[in-house]
Amino acid sequence: MKKPGIIRTISNFLFSSANRELLIFLAFLLLSGIFWLVMTLNETYTREVDINVRITHVPKNVIITSGEQDSIRITISDKGFNLLSVIYTINRQPIEVDFEHHAESRGTGRISNSDLRRMIEMNLPASTRLDAIKPEKLTFFYNYGERKKVPVILQGHVTPQQMYFISKTTMSPDSVIIYASRQKLDSIKWVTTEDINRNDIRDTLVVKARLQQIDGVKMVPNSITASYYTDVLTEESIDNVPIIGINMPKGKVLRTFPAKVSVRFVTGMKNYKRLTPQDFQIVADYQQFSKDPSGKCTITLQQKPEGVTRATLETTQVDYLIEEQY
């Protein structure tokens, strides 16, 4: 019983004299918009479109070292309706290049401008004009399985926030397999990542970074995962680090007073909790202190663990005694 009343209310609202004029206006506005769209799409337009190029029928013993799929940019012209359809088709239908027909000797293959134009025009309707191709021709590289394992070097700048520092950096994997001509394999000692730039980090940063591409070189894998671990800077000290005598004459033993000293340094809080006196090495060189007229023994910090900076000794000179061993 309520539905007819609601429908009558809506009908009276829509078809009242004021609303009827609004509906007529909207109808004419819609018709004019459709007319404008039809006229616009009937004009001729020029667009640049990326089109994929795929190398096919590659023999099993051949490795394409420049990527089995490349892309070119073409400039085409047609009326609006047709151009929309062509762009959609091109994006879904790559050009296929037969390896056997374009491979040359010495690991290089070439597709000329005329061949590219012929293959592209085969996929275009008669009304579409092909105005330009960039690049004008394509070159690809291949070999017969020659490869080499090389390390990866990180590129870029990653900086922590104030009072933080990067305590450790890892890569996975830290090396990759490269395929290339023998000449290039001999010349390449490492590969690098694309620049990794981050500022003011305070938590662990994990980044997937692509490798810098080299013409004629295939990398497996072509990306790595880099991890940057941060820690809070703290100034601490380690006590009871023993003094070791070096270059001592045979049968002589060095006794220092004190026998152990403290080392003060700056490191990360996490790293500090793992440190022990055995991670540091303090030495006294007999060849130096035996010539010192002061009778003192100069000591130096010869070894400190990774992640420790600004390390200093509580003293640099100690008393000593040389004992004979029998």
Side-chain angles (χ1 to χ4, degrees):
M1 296 297 293
K2 292 183 178 180
K3 288 185 178 179
I6 295 173
I7 294 173
R8 188 180 302 110
T9 301
I10 295 174
S11 177
N12 292 336
F13 173 77
L14 291 176
F15 295 101
S16 64
S17 58
N19 289 330
R20 190 182 301 115
E21 293 179 1
L22 176 61
L23 290 175
I24 293 172
F25 170 76
L26 293 175
F28 276 104
L29 182 63
L30 177 62
L31 288 174
S32 62
I34 295 173
F35 179 74
W36 172 84
L37 181 62
V38 170
M39 294 295 293
T40 300
L41 291 178
N42 201 41
E43 296 289 332
T44 299
Y45 296 92
T46 299
R47 289 290 183 271
E48 285 191 343
V49 184
D50 289 330
I51 181 170
N52 291 327
V53 179
R54 183 181 301 154
I55 302 173
T56 61
H57 302 111
V58 180
K60 292 183 178 180
N61 63 333
V62 169
I63 303 293
I64 303 296
T65 61
S66 54
E68 293 187 9
Q69 183 166 308
D70 208 333
S71 64
I72 58 176
R73 173 159 290 195
I74 62 174
T75 304
I76 53 178
S77 300
D78 205 339
K79 291 186 176 181
F81 282 111
N82 295 335
L83 197 60
L84 291 174
S85 175
V86 170
I87 292 173
Y88 176 79
T89 303
I90 283 177
N91 288 334
R92 297 171 58 88
Q93 187 174 356
I95 296 174
E96 295 187 348
V97 176
D98 193 312
F99 175 85
E100 298 292 344
H101 290 167
H102 297 279
E104 301 176 358
S105 59
R106 298 183 180 180
T108 304
R110 291 182 177 83
I111 305 103
S112 65
N113 181 267
S114 59
D115 285 339
L116 281 176
R117 180 172 289 273
R118 175 179 54 80
M119 288 184 285
I120 294 170
E121 288 178 341
M122 286 176 58
N123 295 331
L124 297 178
S127 61
T128 304
R129 185 175 73 246
L130 178 59
D131 298 323
I133 304 174
K134 297 177 183 178
E136 294 186 351
K137 59 182 179 179
L138 284 180
T139 301
F140 63 89
F141 302 93
Y142 64 92
N143 71 9
Y144 293 94
E146 294 91 342
R147 61 188 182 273
K148 176 182 177 181
K149 190 174 185 178
V150 295
V152 177
I153 296 178
L154 290 172
Q155 293 279 84
H157 299 281
V158 177
T159 57
Q161 286 186 4
Q162 191 174 5
M163 298 306 297
Y164 284 79
F165 80 112
I166 297 174
S167 60
K168 184 173 67 172
T169 303
T170 63
M171 286 184 292
S172 180
D174 59 3
S175 58
V176 296
I177 302 296
I178 61 173
Y179 296 83
S181 65
R182 176 51 54 189
Q183 182 180 5
K184 286 191 175 183
L185 288 177
D186 292 340
S187 64
I188 296 175
K189 306 302 180 185
W190 63 80
V191 294
T192 62
T193 65
E194 295 179 347
D195 284 350
I196 304 173
N197 296 314
R198 299 287 192 281
N199 296 320
D200 294 333
I201 68 168
R202 58 178 296 172
D203 299 316
T204 299
L205 174 67
V206 180
V207 181
K208 186 172 183 179
R210 294 187 62 84
L211 301 179
Q212 288 280 7
Q213 294 300 304
I214 305 173
D215 287 342
V217 178
K218 180 179 181 178
M219 305 175 190
V220 180
N222 61 4
S223 64
I224 60 97
T225 299
S227 300
Y228 298 83
Y229 299 90
T230 59
D231 203 351
V232 181
L233 283 173
T234 180
E235 187 173 3
E236 301 290 346
S237 65
I238 288 284
D239 300 326
N240 299 319
V241 181
I243 300 171
I244 302 171
I246 61 173
N247 296 320
M248 297 296 296
K250 187 176 181 180
K252 295 183 182 294
V253 177
L254 175 67
R255 306 291 185 190
T256 62
F257 306 96
K260 300 177 180 180
V261 295
S262 299
V263 182
R264 193 157 192 84
F265 52 85
V266 173
T267 188
M269 183 63 71
K270 297 175 187 176
N271 191 43
Y272 172 68
K273 294 178 180 179
R274 296 190 294 263
L275 296 179
T276 66
Q278 287 69 37
D279 295 321
F280 299 83
Q281 188 177 78
I282 300 173
V283 301
D285 190 343
Y286 178 82
Q287 294 181 353
Q288 294 181 2
F289 69 75
S290 62
K291 301 174 183 179
D292 190 341
S294 68
K296 293 285 187 178
C297 176
T298 299
I299 58 175
T300 58
L301 181 63
Q302 189 175 67
Q303 178 181 303
K304 60 183 176 63
E306 185 179 357
V308 168
T309 61
R310 305 207 306 252
T312 57
L313 301 176
E314 64 175 342
T315 182
T316 57
Q317 286 192 324
V318 294
D319 295 321
Y320 71 94
L321 179 67
I322 303 295
E323 293 184 353
E324 299 283 347
Q325 276 190 337
Y326 299 98

